[in-house]
Amino acid sequence: MSIYLPSSLTDTYTLQNGVRIPAIGYGTWQTPNDVTAAHVKTAIDLGYRHVDTAWGYDNEIGVGEGVRASGVKREDLFITTKHWVTFRGYQNTIDAVEDSLKRLGMDYIDLYLVHWPCVAASRPDWQEINADTWRGFEKMYKDGKLRAIGVSNYEQKHIEALAKTAEVMPMVNQLEFHPGYMQLDNIRYNQSQGILVEAWSPLGSGAVLKDETLAAIAAKYNKSVAQLCIRLSLDYGILPLPKSTNAERIAQNADVFDFEISPEDRAAIESMPTLGYSGYTPEEAPADKLAGLC
Ligand code: A2P
């Protein structure tokens, strides 16, 4: 499979329905709402055109304010938000989209994702619940409120189950991806289906940044470990969503288009032991982490 390699922040991947999505998204997980607007504006000032949020991050209001404060036209920006686990089902999903639109202060969302699948370990009727939720996604997509729809944290079995009833297949799957947790089988499955993979926690939420193997590899390219991690996503055809609340680091995280990681260094990174893994795998997480997912 040939990998598309973007060469600037405004280069785009093209989704299955033709919608174009800018190459690096500005992540907002764990950013408190009261400071989100300022950081989103900074990221947009620095050239980012894609912002990733979620109802569950509790900062959609701040994202909307930051977008308006930036002065950049809405149609020149790409905004993703996600459906939370408490909104499963057809009508709840429709209401959830309306609620996110209100919080964002927008009349459409560029990409809307199912945040977590409902899984067999939580409910025997997980397939029906996921299918019903997805019908709500399809309705809002067909109504033009959502320009593209997708999922997050879905494993192959969850996508295959959805495919039994879906009229529109997910265009994106947002997964945890960073050195020390690359889940390449899942990535390759998605890519073989034409589903664009996005990386959440591309820096392992900061946990991989002090690793010596990564530091040695990054030094060869005169780059920081953070830049190496972001480039790693791009080199695997994965759209990274780095999060930073520091202007210098927000800029640094976009300065990744002038190098490519060699096959030898990629192999060394692939063979690293598990590092920085969040513990959030829907099927395997301990019961306390699954609580509330379905
Ligand atoms: P900060 O917001 O202070 O920059 P992830 O995107 O994997 O969730 O990682 C986010 C974490 O990594 C945050 O703690 C963020 O801290 C930190 N971070 C983001 N960019 C960089 C960078 N270029 N160098 C060092 N740390 C970074």
Side-chain angles (χ1 to χ4, degrees):
M1 198 195 83
S2 71
I3 299 267
Y4 166 70
L5 289 176
S7 52
S8 79
L9 267 184
T10 49
D11 268 0
T12 52
Y13 295 91
T14 304
L15 302 178
Q16 279 171 32
N17 65 346
V19 165
R20 289 154 63 131
I21 176 167
I24 294 182
Y26 176 66
T28 63
W29 181 36
Q30 295 174 330
T31 304
N33 187 61
D34 59 343
V35 296
T36 296
H39 296 310
V40 165
K41 179 178 182 309
T42 300
I44 295 172
D45 289 349
L46 289 167
Y48 287 72
R49 289 293 176 267
H50 171 181
V51 181
D52 181 271
T53 181
W55 189 95
Y57 300 172
D58 200 18
N59 58 18
E60 287 172 312
I61 293 173
V63 168
E65 288 169 359
V67 161
R68 285 184 291 282
S70 75
V72 174
K73 283 196 276 184
R74 173 67 186 90
E75 60 267 34
D76 292 334
L77 295 167
F78 192 100
I79 309 299
T80 299
T81 191
K82 311 185 191 81
H83 166 276
W84 189 236
V85 299
T86 48
F87 304 138
R88 296 192 195 280
Y90 178 74
Q91 188 58 47
N92 286 345
T93 296
I94 290 170
D95 295 346
V97 172
E98 296 292 359
D99 190 43
S100 281
L101 286 169
K102 208 155 75 192
R103 284 165 189 256
L104 288 162
M106 296 177 184
D107 49 17
Y108 66 90
I109 293 163
D110 294 281
L111 173 63
Y112 194 58
L113 304 177
V114 182
H115 207 142
W116 291 94
C118 185
V119 298
S122 296
R123 286 178 76 137
D125 60 346
W126 63 278
Q127 298 201 37
E128 287 81 359
I129 303 270
N130 287 337
D132 212 30
T133 302
W134 191 249
R135 281 200 303 118
F137 271 64
E138 291 174 331
K139 155 93 175 128
M140 297 308 261
Y141 173 64
K142 287 174 188 160
D143 284 358
K145 300 276 173 92
L146 311 172
R147 292 181 67 227
I149 51 177
V151 295
S152 185
N153 302 302
Y154 269 50
E155 295 168 4
Q156 182 169 344
K157 57 177 164 289
H158 307 126
I159 292 178
E160 285 173 349
L162 197 65
K164 291 182 197 160
T165 52
E167 286 176 19
V168 180
M169 281 302 285
M171 296 151 195
V172 167
N173 191 1
Q174 188 179 121
L175 298 169
E176 180 173 359
F177 174 88
H178 51 77
Y181 191 72
M182 294 173 67
Q183 43 178 333
L184 288 178
D185 287 347
N186 195 11
I187 304 284
R188 289 192 181 115
Y189 166 72
N190 279 277
Q191 292 179 336
S192 75
Q193 302 301 302
I195 298 172
L196 177 72
V197 178
E198 297 182 337
W200 63 262
S201 281
L203 317 179
S205 285
V208 306
L209 298 176
K210 291 202 162 58
D211 181 78
E212 286 177 10
T213 303
L214 296 175
I217 295 173
K220 289 195 212 171
Y221 301 97
N222 282 320
K223 291 288 177 183
S224 70
V225 173
Q227 290 169 317
L228 179 77
C229 293
I230 294 162
R231 185 69 219 186
L232 187 76
S233 282
L234 297 175
D235 286 348
Y236 281 81
I238 298 170
L239 188 157
L241 303 166
K243 174 254 168 185
S244 175
T245 46
N246 171 285
E248 244 169 66
R249 293 194 283 275
I250 295 173
Q252 186 198 115
N253 294 347
D255 179 17
V256 294
F257 296 106
D258 56 354
F259 75 115
E260 214 172 303
I261 305 172
S262 71
E264 298 72 34
D265 289 335
R266 281 170 53 156
I269 295 170
E270 279 188 24
S271 63
M272 282 174 59
T274 302
L275 177 69
Y277 166 53
S278 67
Y280 293 114
T281 297
E283 292 280 354
E284 288 164 16
D288 62 325
K289 291 205 169 126
L290 281 177
L293 281 190
C294 290

